Amino acid sequence: MTDQPLISSPSIFASIRSGQALIVGGNRGIGLGFVKHLLKDQRFDQVFATYRTKTAASELLELAQTHDRLHCIAMDLTDEAAIESGIAQIKTMTPELHFVVNCVGFLHDGAIAPEKALRQLQPDHLMRYFQVNSIGAALLAKHLLSLLNHKQPNVFATISAKIGSIEDNRLGGWYGYRASKAALNMLLKTAAIEYSRRSQQTAIVLLHPGTTDTRLSEPFQRGVPPDKLFPVQKTVGLLMNVLGNVTLDDNGSFFSWDGSQLPW
């Protein structure tokens, strides 16, 4: 008797035809890069993209003027009512989604910057990190369930960060950002377990994009080797390669931009 070869699940993206995609935080950086990429991908009939304010979404809104497939939706991920309203708008245009990627993230803004020492910790700053990076994504998972629970395989991805890995933390510092990304990982890992029961055709995955040349990373790029500072287009291409290989068996996984699995 010979051993039977293991049969791996097929790629979810390989099965997508006439798909519906949602990019949360599609107005700048990696999110806008995903929007531009998907508008060139004929597998997707409609691309929904969210933005928080019109003043920060001029390029996205201009894209919508020339692309009938692109629908822009106002959504503040720190406001559950806004999330619910945005999802309700999407439901008027499609009963299901096949690909969702949440690109919303917060690292610095004015007086808020990564803390290098315990003496720099401030409760309101920590709350801001968790509100944007952790809680918003969990609420998104809560309200997306009805759009992802259907018969076709689908992917719900969220941009996380390797710095959120507890096991990989060897340098310390960046308390609020690290902790909020670790919380994001735990919340979405837990959601993946619930989805495995309630939305069995969904794979929830978390992604580390590497250091990308965006407004978020701009103040912290000095020590990054040139070959490790990715243009947005390269980051999106790398992440799409990773997502292109995701199967239902990968539900609850944490991937780096090169396709390797990261420790929690």
Side-chain angles (χ1 to χ4, degrees), residues 13-262:
F13 265 68
S15 68
I16 294 178
R17 301 289 185 275
S18 302
Q20 315 290 317
L22 168 62
I23 310 301
V24 180
N27 57 302
R28 61 169 49 150
I30 294 174
L32 185 59
F34 268 110
V35 171
K36 292 177 178 179
H37 185 99
L38 292 180
L39 288 175
K40 299 175 184 177
D41 192 330
Q42 297 307 309
R43 289 176 296 183
F44 295 95
D45 289 346
Q46 296 186 95
V47 178
F48 301 92
T50 76
Y51 63 92
R52 192 166 66 89
T53 63
K54 284 188 176 181
T55 54
S58 56
E59 189 173 354
L60 174 67
L61 295 172
E62 287 172 11
L63 268 179
Q65 298 299 314
T66 55
H67 292 81
D68 293 339
R69 295 161 57 216
L70 176 59
H71 308 282
C72 300
I73 297 170
M75 182 189 290
D76 183 346
L77 213 58
T78 67
D79 180 351
E80 184 172 13
I83 296 172
E84 196 167 9
S85 175
I87 297 298
Q89 281 184 256
I90 295 171
K91 287 180 178 178
T92 66
M93 291 177 273
T94 181
E96 57 189 45
L97 291 170
H98 305 88
F99 175 47
V100 177
V101 57
N102 172 29
C103 302
V104 174
F106 175 75
L107 177 56
H108 62 90
D109 183 22
I112 304 178
E115 313 91 346
K116 296 181 180 179
L118 286 167
R119 66 178 179 275
Q120 296 174 319
L121 294 182
Q122 297 186 45
D124 56 334
H125 293 184
L126 290 172
M127 285 298 298
R128 181 64 177 166
Y129 279 120
F130 280 91
Q131 191 176 34
V132 178
N133 293 338
S134 317
I135 298 170
L139 293 175
L140 192 61
K142 172 183 174 180
H143 291 285
L144 279 172
L145 182 60
S146 59
L147 281 167
L148 295 173
N149 183 19
H150 53 81
K151 294 181 180 179
Q152 299 301 314
N154 56 82
V155 178
F156 172 22
T158 291
I159 302 296
S160 183
K162 186 178 180 182
I163 200 171
S165 168
I166 295 174
E167 185 176 340
D168 189 66
N169 183 3
R170 295 175 178 85
L171 297 176
W174 289 43
Y175 283 86
Y177 190 70
R178 280 188 188 277
S180 64
K181 288 295 187 178
L184 167 68
N185 291 350
M186 177 59 83
L187 286 165
L188 270 293
K189 173 68 174 181
T190 304
I193 294 170
E194 181 172 346
Y195 264 65
S196 70
R197 297 189 293 264
R198 301 183 61 196
S199 185
Q200 296 180 4
Q201 295 300 309
T202 301
I204 293 180
V205 296
L206 294 119
L207 303 171
H208 167 59
T211 304
T212 306
D213 188 10
T214 64
R215 178 177 169 271
L216 183 141
S217 70
E218 189 175 3
F220 313 101
Q221 294 176 4
R222 184 179 301 174
V224 180
D227 63 330
K228 294 297 184 182
L229 180 61
F230 301 152
V232 168
Q233 185 178 7
K234 179 175 181 178
T235 293
V236 171
L238 290 168
L239 295 180
M240 285 298 295
N241 286 341
V242 174
L243 291 165
N245 291 312
V246 167
T247 74
L248 290 175
D249 292 337
D250 293 315
N251 183 39
S253 296
F254 184 18
F255 291 107
S256 183
W257 55 266
D258 61 1
S260 61
Q261 287 212 17
L262 292 171

